[in-house]
Amino acid sequence: MDSFLIHGGTPLYGDVQIGGSKNAVLPIMAATLLTAETCVIRRVPDLSDVRFMVKILESLGAEVHFAGGTLTIRASAIQGFGDYELIRKMRGSICILGPLVARLQTATVSLPGGCIIGTRPIDLHLKGLAALGAKLTIDSGYIRAEAPRLKGAIIFLGGRAGPTVLGTANILMAATLADGVTLIESAACEPEVVDLANFLSSMGAKISGIGSPTLTVTGVEELHGTDHEVIGDRIEAGTFAAAAAATGGEVVLHGARPEHLTAVLDKLHEAGVRAERTQGALTIKAGSALRPVDVTTMPYPGFPTDMQAQLMTLMCLASGTSVITERIFESRFMHAAELMRLGADISIEGPSAIVKGGRPLSGAPVMASDLRASAALVIAGLAGRGDTRVNRVYHLDRGYEKMEEKLRRLGAKIERVDGE
Ligand code: EPU
């Protein structure tokens, strides 16, 4: 397993190219199962999660070609039985269920498990499919969904933490081929859901209300192939913005969409970090000192849970106390204990982390526990004094393409080594 060795204390300066969005491309890849025709997807980041989804699509019978950031997928002859071990390992793969049952009338996939950030139930996915008329059975760790043809319905998809991103994606995809009109209420409004809806529309789906909490889908008989470019990854952009701010540097993010980052930029501004929007780019400049801010994670357009860990690192460096409240996932504070190894003062009280910032961080060996926690530890290593070893960076490789190379081009002293 690879580790990162980081020698901290160098401000980041320069330009960085933001890649295509992981959380947009995974459901879009699943959506190619809705047609027998060829789909071309561009600006695809080369991530282990994307490679994993390629394997899943291939195991279903799709022909997939991935080179130079372009995916070409042809799912002309597919079967609806997903490999248990493959699907179980990646939560994002649950969104093959909707397209498979819509196209093949039957689908069997393994139930995704919980993960380190929470139990991550799929009750809302199942509620939506049942409302569309699918008969669902759970047996030996598999979900089997069957329906002669799905039927349009009114479906409320809000859960205890608000809308569900992949649940909305799953039901939206299934509804495109259903008979009649489907109304998805309390739909997720994340830019990744919008990108999926645009992809589906370009395949011939009839969707209105895109980007709003109410999606109306009029089912069609069939969808066709398309050519689509994925949106820039707002979380990768936010992560590099936090790294620039934490190290006291100045970084130009190319290909970032500031309109997808409003809540993050607002918090950075409150913390004393400057952001300038220019044509096709966003410049992040550290201020003279970081100020503490309170933040609560929320569904879009609120502050994203996927930026909570990175903001926590930043708050460790701001003089004063900040309160970071996690409202989306129940146990997404694994990074706090690792940040404390670097000298941070953080206490967890229920859903909130109380960060007493301003103490200098100093390098130590730390363990990455999930994707965004890993990013937070890398930022802490870059901002701290001395050497930090971040172990198990395979978590990071799930969602950041060549992160260490991009950071090195900004002046960071970071290398990938064989490790624990
Ligand atoms: N929830 C339910 N029932 C469901 C589905 C979700 O109660 O059937 C709950 C979840 O337990 C959670 C909340 O609803 O409390 C929101 O979860 P959501 O379904 O929106 O999460 P997701 O779709 O499984 C995606 C991203 C996550 C991101 C969340 C929230 C992908 C592949 N994953 O997960 O990304 O944190 O939305 O924005 O798109 C990451 O990239 O690091 C990551 C974890």
Side-chain angles (χ1 to χ4, degrees), residues 204-390:
K206 302 230 165 333
I207 306 169
S208 62
I210 295 174
S212 83
T214 308
L215 292 169
T216 306
V217 188
T218 305
V220 295
E221 290 294 327
E222 58 178 17
L223 295 174
H224 51 76
T226 187
D227 191 320
H228 179 85
E229 182 175 299
V230 175
I231 54 168
D233 195 312
R234 65 191 166 106
I235 306 301
E236 187 193 22
T239 301
F240 276 94
T247 58
E250 179 174 335
V251 169
V252 185
L253 309 169
H254 295 274
R257 300 264 295 260
E259 70 272 26
H260 294 163
L261 281 160
T262 52
V264 173
L265 295 179
D266 182 61
K267 281 296 156 192
L268 289 178
H269 176 73
E270 215 181 308
V273 180
R274 280 157 55 202
E276 280 167 22
R277 302 175 189 204
T278 45
Q279 191 63 36
L282 180 62
T283 303
I284 303 294
K285 282 186 200 167
S288 51
L290 280 164
R291 290 191 289 268
V293 297
D294 294 342
V295 70
T296 300
T297 62
M298 280 185 239
Y300 190 82
F303 190 91
T305 172
D306 292 344
M307 277 300 298
Q308 178 259 106
Q310 301 89 315
L311 188 89
M312 190 181 291
T313 298
L314 211 54
M315 290 303 99
C316 292
L317 302 163
S319 293
T321 302
S322 20
V323 180
I324 300 178
T325 304
E326 174 57 57
R327 291 269 178 229
I328 307 295
F329 292 112
E330 64 270 23
S331 51
R332 205 173 198 179
F333 280 143
M334 302 297 286
H335 41 283
E338 296 304 294
L339 287 171
M340 281 153 73
R341 283 185 206 274
L342 302 177
D345 182 345
I346 304 168
S347 53
I348 307 292
E349 289 180 18
S352 298
I354 319 295
V355 184
K356 292 191 182 134
R359 292 159 53 139
L361 299 180
S362 56
V366 287
M367 184 81 83
S369 57
D370 76 79
L371 170 56
R372 308 304 171 187
S374 317
L377 296 174
V378 170
I379 297 171
L382 293 169
R385 289 187 311 225
D387 295 326
T388 295
R389 183 184 189 104
V390 182

